Amino acid sequence: MPIIRDIQLYVPKNKEQNWTFFHETRCITFLYSRLLPKLQSRDDKGIQIYCVDNLEQKEQIDKFTHIIFDYFPVFVEADVENILTLTSHREKKERILEIVHEGMKLAAEEFYWDLSSLDLVYENIKQLDYENVYPLLKKSSPNRKYICSVLCHHEVASIDVYMEIKKRNGEVINKEKLFSVGNTDEQDLFSDFGNLEWKLNHKVEFADKDYKHIYRLTFLEKDKPKNLVWKIEK
């Protein structure tokens, strides 16, 4: 049986508004998706949450016109326009989480999932302070002493990409922002960047798949952390 891998919010009444809402909510929908346990469905790989002004609109919507193939549809009342006008990204995240959690509880009723597992995801997101940080790529140095991670900080309006070097014991040596993208659909970033290669024990290279954008880090530990040699060529 398929496992639920993704959650998407959808605004059926307005195509332009839907595009904006999808991107501004992706930080939370993807975070919730990442934290899900293995939830089985009958035929679906994702949950599509229709955001409507009132549930009476449910009967007026042709789901076959709007539905994403292999996504199970549920309907939640949401004031999309109000959420989009919020200037606080934190408040947007909080409102989005409530919508996602409500939609997932409706799906749970259909598929007989354990609601406590969804409540745990909900609480975990709060404990994470609504921050969606995940590795794009990770690789150990040739001498196995260091681990280089390319980390994504997924926000409402952007995805910020960082390069981080850790020791094997988990101690962070340093971390630096490489770039930021305004497209918050993480799948586009995943498809564009896929190369991380250590050139030496203290030199590592990160690049897009066409090698049009290359970031080269050279670092060297000294006797004191403040004397660290750290240089990224962009």
Side-chain angles (χ1 to χ4, degrees):
M1 297 177 72
I3 302 295
I4 297 298
R5 304 289 186 188
D6 187 37
I7 304 165
Q8 294 191 17
L9 300 189
Y10 182 70
V11 184
K13 70 176 182 179
N14 186 311
K15 183 181 293 186
E16 183 176 338
Q17 194 177 70
N18 175 64
W19 189 92
T20 302
F21 197 62
F22 170 84
H23 283 85
E24 291 198 3
T25 60
R26 193 61 193 155
C27 57
I28 295 298
T29 56
F30 185 47
L31 176 56
Y32 201 111
S33 301
R34 290 199 307 108
L35 297 178
L36 283 176
K38 291 183 178 181
L39 300 176
Q40 293 185 332
S41 67
R42 290 186 291 271
D43 302 299
D44 306 288
K45 65 179 181 181
I47 303 297
Q48 184 179 17
I49 302 175
Y50 284 69
C51 299
V52 294
D53 295 330
N54 58 75
L55 293 180
E56 293 178 0
Q57 294 177 351
K58 177 179 178 179
E59 307 304 324
Q60 305 168 14
I61 296 173
D62 182 358
K63 287 183 287 187
F64 292 100
T65 300
H66 297 279
I67 195 170
I68 305 174
F69 182 68
D70 283 344
Y71 278 62
F72 182 79
V74 295
F75 290 79
V76 173
E77 289 187 359
D79 191 342
V80 172
E81 292 181 6
N82 177 262
I83 293 173
L84 288 176
T85 59
L86 294 173
T87 57
S88 167
H89 284 187
R90 171 57 180 256
E91 190 174 354
K92 277 188 179 181
K93 290 179 180 181
E94 292 173 350
R95 295 277 295 277
I96 294 162
L97 176 59
E98 297 303 322
I99 295 171
V100 173
H101 192 50
E102 180 63 28
M104 290 302 291
K105 287 192 291 185
L106 292 172
E109 294 177 5
E110 178 70 23
F111 295 114
Y112 304 104
W113 296 332
D114 181 6
L115 282 174
S116 65
S117 66
L118 297 180
D119 289 337
L120 182 60
V121 172
Y122 176 80
E123 293 301 328
N124 282 346
I125 292 174
K126 288 186 173 183
Q127 290 174 11
L128 290 169
D129 201 25
Y130 300 86
E131 294 299 319
N132 188 8
V133 179
Y134 50 89
L136 176 61
L137 296 165
K138 182 186 293 187
K139 190 170 287 188
S140 295
S141 61
N143 62 5
R144 314 297 294 178
K145 186 176 179 180
Y146 304 105
I147 299 172
C148 178
S149 298
V150 178
L151 300 174
C152 297
H153 289 237
H154 201 150
E155 295 296 334
V156 170
S158 67
I159 301 178
D160 301 326
V161 180
Y162 291 76
M163 182 176 282
E164 177 188 80
I165 299 294
K166 279 185 177 181
K167 294 182 180 180
R168 299 293 297 182
N169 63 6
E171 179 187 347
V172 176
I173 294 176
N174 202 14
K175 176 180 176 180
E176 182 176 336
K177 182 177 176 180
L178 300 179
F179 61 88
S180 180
V181 294
N183 180 0
T184 55
D185 185 348
E186 74 288 338
Q187 295 302 321
D188 291 333
L189 187 64
F190 294 166
S191 64
D192 289 341
F193 286 86
N195 297 303
L196 182 63
E197 182 180 359
W198 285 87
K199 298 299 184 179
L200 296 168
N201 287 324
H202 294 87
K203 189 170 186 176
V204 61
E205 181 178 282
F206 167 59
D208 62 3
K209 293 182 178 179
D210 296 325
Y211 283 91
K212 292 181 180 179
H213 302 282
I214 303 173
Y215 303 85
R216 296 183 178 92
L217 166 64
T218 302
F219 70 97
L220 185 62
E221 288 188 276
K222 296 292 186 178
D223 54 340
K224 297 180 181 179
K226 67 178 182 179
N227 295 329
L228 171 72
V229 175
W230 178 280
K231 180 180 180 181
I232 294 181
E233 300 175 54
K234 303 179 183 180

